[in-house]
Each structure stands twice: as C-alpha cells, then as structure tokens.
Amino acid sequence: MEAVAKGWHFSGFYCQRYSEKLSFSFQGLSRGLWRNTLPLQVNSSELNSLTSNVLKRKGIHVLSPHISSPSFPIEFLDALDDEYGGVVINPESLPSSANAFASALRASMSNWELKGKRGIWLKILLEQADLVPIAIQEGFNFHHAEPGYVMLTYWLPNGPCLLPASPSHQIGIGGFVMNHKREVLVVKEKCPCSCSGVWKLPTGYINKSEEIFSGAIREVKEETGIDTIFLEMVAFRHVHLVSFEQSDLLFVCMLKPLSIEITVDEKEIQSAKWMPLDEFISQPFYKEDQMFRKIIDICITKYDNCYNGFIAHQMNSKLDRKLSYLYYNEPQKF
C-alpha cells in the first residue's frame, strides 16, 4: 500500500508526514481490511474515518473513534515459519495493549494470507490473558491449555482445517513387582473409587517428558518406597472417554525389586505390603474383572519366563532428529 496525503506518507501500515495528496489502493487484504482492489481518492479530513474503520473491523472497537491522524507505526507480529507452511507467533513479543495487539494481529493475518501461509499458532501467556477475547473475536479457536498459557489456532486457507487436534490421551503406568518368594507388591488406595478396599498394583500417570519405564519405577518408589529396575513392558490397555472425555493408555511394566523395606506414601496410599500371589489373585475384584485378571496372568507367565514383552531400546531417528526409546520384542535366535 502506498499513499500520500496532507502531511502524511503511507507505506504498508507505516505513516509519516510527507506531502499533500492521497491516492492509493488496497490489494488482496483481509481480516479487517479489504479483499478487492479499491482505488481511493480521499482528502485528509476523510483519512481519520478511513483508518478508524480499518482498525475497528469485526466489531472489535479497541481503538478510540476520536483518534486523529495516525501518528504511530502498526507493526507485524514477530513470528517464525513452521515446517508445514504455517506460522508460530512469538508470545514474548506480543504487544501489551489491546489496541496495539488487535492492529498488529489484523495486519499480520493479512500479510500471512497474501504469502500463502496456512496454520497460525498463537500462544498467549497467563499474564497476557486480556488478549484472548480479541484473538477469539478475530476467528481464532482454542487448541489446548497448560499451566501458564493457552494455545489458539487459525486456519487461513478455505476448506477443512488440517492442523493436528489437541492432545487427546493421558498416559498411565502400572508396575508389577514380585520377589523371590512369589509375593506381589500391592497397595490399597485412599480414594473412594471403584477399586477402593482392593489390593492392587501400584499405578499412576507419567510426568511430562518422562519415559514410560522411568514413570513406572518412580511411581512404585513414591507409593511404596521400593527401589526397582525395569525389565519389560508386558501389556497396555487403551480406553476412551474417561477423565474429561480424554482417552487413556495404561502401560503395564514388569519391574525387579532391589529393596524389601516398604515405606508408604500416606498422602495417597492407605497401605502397602508384599502379598502372596495366590492370595492376591483370589480377591473377588480380580476374579470378576476379565481385563485385570488377564494382565496378572500375563505378568505371572512372564515371571516364569514363558512370555516375552517389550524391551526399551534407545536409538536415533532422522525423522525427528531425536534420541528416543523404541519398545519391541527381541527376535528369537535359533
């Protein structure tokens, strides 16, 4: 956009005093601007109304209608291109005021659309929460939230959005620990859930960026005080529409005990002990629950060396250029 007006020079969205006449056109701009080419001839008295309308599109009246001739630059948001033709906006550089954010967001969206960008990722930090309603009114949608921020997205092309959906699974682990006396390490939960009063395997959720086998070792240690090492992953269960309509993956890990002395975490565990295997599987809960009885059967079979689970193997991948763990069963060697 190039414009010359009484006392102002326009280039893109930047304004400065310059000359007498205004003659310019908007090409292909959107998100609060004009999509078509509009040759305009306006005098300086009309300039205030023009700029006010541009910056108050979609009913977001964040700028005062009494602003005189613009005397500030409207800058693009700081952002990086992602690997999929989209844009990731830098949350640390977002304007602090609602007026500046709304103006910069609209200008940036128009610029990215002209460049053929696709998905836009906008992370808003907790201290910037007053910017969320502005982004929502501009067409952004909630994607996910974590402590300290909310992530919003916008799909620029016409047609279905191809951005990945928000995280849909929580990951839990269960640790099967049996000593040389064929006693199983069991706990009794404090919570009034369906397994209340039942002696069960130590279970819990893995932490962010925690390996599955590390989570199993940690949970057993936290709940019972028993040190263990990981042997194999023997089974996993997949269920849907549980907590907050999320799906749930539970990985069952075979662990070898390295200590005997039990120390109960009284914040979440009522009790813990070493229970003879026969007594453990004779509980009505396990007799009536087909899935958990099968899990225990697999664990016992593995303990007797009649079953091979998955071992964690660390290796590199060119796909994501990261060192990670692949769980698989070693092929039999004849």
Side-chain angles (χ1 to χ4, degrees), residues 307-327:
Y307 177 88
N308 290 323
F310 289 161
I311 299 173
H313 300 265
Q314 194 175 40
M315 54 189 63
N316 286 297
S317 171
K318 285 188 175 181
L319 186 64
D320 53 19
R321 298 181 294 277
K322 291 182 180 296
L323 185 66
S324 59
Y325 284 93
L326 179 66
Y327 293 80

Side-chain angles (χ1 to χ4, degrees), residues 84-142:
Y84 307 97
V87 170
V88 180
I89 299 171
N90 180 8
E92 303 293 341
S93 65
L94 294 180
S96 57
S97 76
N99 289 352
F101 174 69
S103 301
L105 180 61
R106 292 172 183 171
S108 300
M109 295 290 284
S110 298
N111 179 52
W112 292 326
E113 186 171 33
L114 288 173
K115 291 181 176 180
K117 297 300 180 182
R118 293 153 59 85
I120 310 300
W121 297 86
L122 172 60
K123 181 179 182 179
I124 297 182
L125 306 179
L126 181 61
E127 58 269 25
Q128 304 164 328
D130 57 332
L131 303 181
V132 173
I134 298 172
I136 294 298
Q137 291 185 62
E138 286 298 319
F140 278 79
N141 291 308
F142 290 108

Side-chain angles (χ1 to χ4, degrees), residues 3-8 10 19-24 39-52 68-70:
V4 178
K6 289 185 178 180
W8 296 92
F10 278 61
S19 153
E20 289 291 326
K21 183 180 177 183
L22 175 65
S23 177
F24 66 127
L40 300 177
Q41 293 285 338
V42 298
N43 56 42
S44 60
S45 65
E46 297 171 311
L47 183 58
N48 293 340
S49 175
L50 173 62
T51 56
S52 178
S68 59
S69 299

Side-chain angles (χ1 to χ4, degrees), residues 25-55:
S25 65
F26 294 80
Q27 299 200 13
L29 300 182
S30 62
R31 303 296 176 293
L33 306 178
W34 291 269
R35 287 186 178 275
N36 302 319
T37 301
L38 299 176
L40 300 177
Q41 293 285 338
V42 298
N43 56 42
S44 60
S45 65
E46 297 171 311
L47 183 58
N48 293 340
S49 175
L50 173 62
T51 56
S52 178
N53 287 337
V54 168
L55 299 175

Side-chain angles (χ1 to χ4, degrees), residues 259-270:
S259 60
I260 300 174
E261 189 81 24
I262 291 177
T263 304
V264 173
D265 179 5
E266 297 181 351
K267 295 190 297 293
E268 54 180 309
I269 299 300
Q270 180 179 333

